[in-house]
Amino acid sequence: MSTRVVATSLFRQFSSVRVALQPIWTQRRNPDAPRQRYFSVSSRAQASEGDQYHAFVEGVRSSPAMQKIAQNKEAMDALQEVAIIMQKKGVDLSKRPSMFTMMKVVSDPEFRAAAEKTMEVLKKAGVEMDRELIMKMFSPDVEKNTVHSQSYAARRKNHTNPAAVALLEVMERKKSNLCVSVDVTKKESFLRIIDAAGPSVCMVKTHIDIIEDFDEDLVVQLTELSKKHDFVIFEDRKFADIGNTVMLQYSSGVHKIASWSHITNAHPVPGPSIIKGLASVGLPLDRGLLLLAEMSSEGTLAKGDYTNEAIEMARAHRDFVIGFIAMKRLGTSARPHEDFLILTPGVGLDTKGDGMGQQYKTPREVILERGCDVIIVGRGIYGKGDGAESEVIRREAERYRSEGWKAYEERVVA
């Protein structure tokens, strides 16, 4: 069994184990100290999980495995070392760790080394750390394959929307979780960049309304390129009006977005009517919708309650809403098996910002540490202006594809 699997499993419920063993640690430090019960759920958000968490702590405390560990000083010291490292990495051990926190710390070399050492010590103590036992001890309420650890192929069954299924199939088929965002104003440059990057991407994101010489032939050629290179088209329209207006914007006008774009997106600001209006056009065409739950720009207002409301709106319209534009996996702390696709902008390998409020994360940070599904990259691939030479674009697209897929393979539990 890999060190990463052990580290992940140890981390998932280590706060519970730490709570279970804390009275013993305290007693060993100070034999005269009164025995205490260490149990804390400090936020209202966790209140609904309090009874389950308490029951789990008591179960761990009374389990044969924990009793055996409690009698072994070396095992206790090893677990205490892991706890110290977790605290040093900013983990609140009184709470169940979030998926984002878990993925970030599990990727840390110091924690993984401590986890490997702990596994060896526990084995010496007579606690055989096979996969089944680890899952039972440290993740009794989480199945082996939560959404973020499943393969893209396995996740197809979680979706009924054809656009979501098509995207997951393309990602698996091309071994790519890269979306290229093509924000240029000339038709020729637009199509050239897409043709160059096409072999390495699972998706092309467009802002069709910025193209100065737009015509129907552009849509024809874009559609042909999507078939040639096997990618999904995502028009980044960011609809933000009442239901009837967005219905017309989506279906009509100059661009007729619904007729050619597999996926589009919308702000949740107008409320559920915006989803209903877009769905009335998109669902019959097998289209999918993303909600903008978070944004990558500095000073964004898309956070907190706004993000939470976006999640609830999506849950009420699962037939059409396939996921979010967001900076991390959303909603999994309460519903770990809920599967929304997370597409993340602001990804870069060579810079941290653009001077205009954009903040960049690496593919590894986005895919592995934050649990997102698709990295969105623009200027990092094609450069400035009308775009770099086609060969440069091909090379950069493949570089980002490789980094994104490598992070994904590290994340997925076989």
Side-chain angles (χ1 to χ4, degrees), residues 36-54:
Q36 303 178 47
R37 289 186 68 178
Y38 288 79
F39 171 68
S40 170
V41 178
S42 58
S43 70
R44 279 175 52 186
Q46 289 179 300
S48 62
E49 296 183 358
D51 292 342
Q52 291 180 339
Y53 187 64
H54 189 188

Side-chain angles (χ1 to χ4, degrees), residues 220-272:
V220 171
Q221 291 197 55
L222 173 60
T223 303
E224 289 176 350
L225 285 173
S226 75
K227 295 175 182 177
K228 173 184 175 182
H229 294 303
D230 191 20
F231 60 74
V232 170
I233 302 171
F234 164 32
E235 165 55 21
D236 190 7
R237 177 60 176 77
K238 297 185 177 73
F239 291 101
D241 216 316
I242 63 172
N244 186 66
T245 300
V246 297
M247 177 182 68
L248 296 173
Q249 291 173 328
Y250 192 27
S251 64
S252 307
V254 175
H255 300 123
K256 299 179 177 61
I257 295 167
S259 69
W260 51 269
S261 180
H262 305 102
I263 295 170
T264 192
N265 60 355
H267 288 285
V269 174

Side-chain angles (χ1 to χ4, degrees), residues 347-353 360-363 380-381 396 399-400:
V347 178
L349 285 169
D350 304 314
T351 183
K352 288 296 181 182
Y360 292 111
K361 303 291 184 185
T362 66
I381 289 176
E396 290 303 303
R399 181 165 75 112
Y400 275 93

Side-chain angles (χ1 to χ4, degrees), residues 12 139-150 155 157-159 315 318 329-340:
R12 276 179 175 156
S139 300
D141 59 345
V142 179
E143 294 177 11
K144 293 180 182 180
N145 292 319
T146 53
V147 164
H148 73 276
S149 65
Q150 293 177 16
R155 290 171 60 187
K157 68 180 184 300
N158 301 335
H159 293 267
R315 285 171 175 161
R318 285 305 312 267
R329 181 155 294 283
L330 302 176
T332 53
S333 59
R335 305 185 189 186
H337 307 300
E338 185 172 62
D339 195 346
F340 285 110

Side-chain angles (χ1 to χ4, degrees), residues 23-34:
I24 303 170
W25 279 322
T26 303
Q27 201 69 25
R28 286 193 172 186
R29 291 194 200 100
N30 185 3
D32 297 324

